[in-house]
């Protein structure tokens, strides 16, 4: 039997429909396989479905596969859709879009990393914005970003604080002066977080818990304004 071009197109259409339906299946294992298939055989028809699913998918491993699938598609298709999502009212849509933008790494997305996203009231969104920002920041603007991120020191619990410290450390030595200023803060949470981040900058292998505990001791013993001695 001879397979014609028309038959091949029909088969591709059937596969595309199957994958798109799979993304909406109630079983996470089916959604995971559908996302894998969408990334293995990219098709422009998948982009909208992948982006939509990112906003509502409850399973971490499926979300991770959705992001991977999107990175396999042309940036000309994914970038506009993701930039729309970072303005969504849904926190997960914003967070996952920012995460995907950080994986794509196209700096044309930089203008979308606004102050409101960096300070988003949802910790997961803010953390995704910090990670995306250090990937997308244009050369020469790292110090400006560092100055904005350092204003968020002391925010949230350990996981959130670690994410912020990691983002700052990723910017390198440009954070030294703004961190030093933060160690004189009258807010003990800010001061402790700044000191812990200083330690991580000096020793990236240091555990964050250990860095925090050491920073607390320094902050209590020295008090604000003494850390630069």
């Amino acid at each position: 039997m001879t397979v014609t071009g028309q038959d091949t197109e029909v088969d591709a259409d059937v596969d595309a429909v199957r994958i798109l339906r799979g993304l909406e299946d109630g079983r996470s294992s089916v959604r995971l396989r559908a996302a894998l298939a969408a990334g293995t055989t990219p098709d422009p028809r998948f982009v909208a479905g992948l982006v939509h699913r990112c906003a509502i998918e409850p399973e971490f491993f499926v979300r991770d596969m959705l992001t991977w699938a999107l990175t396999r598609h042309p940036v000309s298709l994914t970038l506009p859709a993701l930039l729309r999502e970072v303005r969504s009212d849904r926190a997960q849509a914003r967070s996952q879009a920012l995460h995907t933008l950080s994986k794509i790494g196209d700096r044309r997305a930089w203008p979308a990393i606004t102050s409101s996203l960096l300070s988003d009231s949802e910790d997961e969104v803010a953390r995704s914005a910090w990670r995306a920002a250090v990937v997308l920041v244009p050369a020469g603007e790292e110090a400006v970003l560092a100055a904005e991120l350092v204003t968020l020191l002391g925010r949230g619990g350990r996981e959130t604080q670690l994410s912020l410290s990691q983002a700052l450390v990723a910017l390198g030595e440009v954070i030294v002066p703004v961190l030093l200023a933060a160690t004189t803060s009258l807010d003990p949470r800010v001061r402790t977080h700044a000191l812990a981040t200083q330690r991580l900058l000096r020793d990236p292998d240091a555990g964050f818990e250990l860095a925090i505990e050491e920073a607390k001791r320094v902050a209590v013993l020295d008090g604000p304004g003494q850390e630069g001695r």
Side-chain angles (χ1 to χ4, degrees):
M1 181 178 69
T2 301
V3 178
T4 67
Q6 187 175 15
D7 291 333
T8 303
E9 289 177 6
V10 170
D11 289 342
D13 288 343
V14 170
D15 286 342
V17 170
R18 176 179 56 79
I19 289 170
L20 289 169
R21 286 179 177 169
L23 291 174
E24 302 300 324
D25 196 276
R27 295 161 293 180
S28 61
S29 60
V30 176
R31 298 196 302 276
L32 184 65
R33 289 196 298 271
L36 174 61
T40 303
T41 56
D43 186 311
R45 290 173 289 185
F46 297 153
V47 172
L50 291 167
V51 170
H52 169 72
R53 191 68 214 176
C54 280
I56 61 174
E57 175 54 51
E59 299 293 335
F60 169 80
F61 291 110
V62 180
R63 292 199 302 272
D64 215 35
M65 190 65 77
L66 292 166
T67 284
W68 173 79
L70 283 165
T71 67
R72 299 270 296 160
H73 286 76
V75 176
S76 60
L77 297 177
T78 58
L79 190 59
L82 292 168
L83 293 178
R84 286 192 294 272
E85 287 294 282
V86 301
R87 300 189 296 270
S88 172
D89 291 335
R90 186 187 292 269
Q92 183 173 306
R94 299 195 301 277
S95 175
Q96 199 64 25
L98 287 162
H99 174 65
T100 306
L101 288 170
S102 74
K103 294 300 182 182
I104 292 172
D106 191 307
R107 285 181 169 169
R108 286 176 294 179
W110 170 247
I113 311 300
T114 60
S115 295
S116 61
L117 282 174
L118 293 172
S119 59
D120 198 282
S121 60
E122 296 286 342
D123 282 348
E124 191 56 41
V125 177
R127 290 166 57 196
S128 295
W130 303 336
R131 290 190 291 266
V134 299
V135 171
L136 301 173
V137 62
E141 294 191 33
E142 294 89 350
V144 176
L145 175 59
E148 181 151 17
L149 291 180
V150 83
T151 65
L152 302 169
L153 287 170
R155 169 178 171 160
R158 286 289 190 269
E159 191 174 5
T160 297
Q161 291 191 6
L162 174 58
S163 291
L164 181 55
S165 291
Q166 289 172 331
L168 283 163
V169 168
L171 292 174
E173 293 298 318
V174 298
I175 72 171
V176 170
V178 289
L179 269 186
L180 182 60
T183 63
T184 67
S185 172
L186 296 177
D187 185 333
R189 283 176 58 85
V190 172
R191 194 162 69 250
T192 299
H193 195 180
L195 288 164
T197 306
Q198 278 185 331
R199 176 176 176 128
L200 288 181
L201 180 63
R202 294 193 303 266
D203 181 9
D205 294 327
F208 188 66
E209 287 296 328
L210 180 62
I212 283 287
E213 292 308 314
E214 179 180 309
K216 282 181 177 178
R217 289 194 295 272
V218 172
V220 169
L221 293 172
D222 288 352
Q226 304 299 313
E227 290 78 3
R229 293 181 304 181

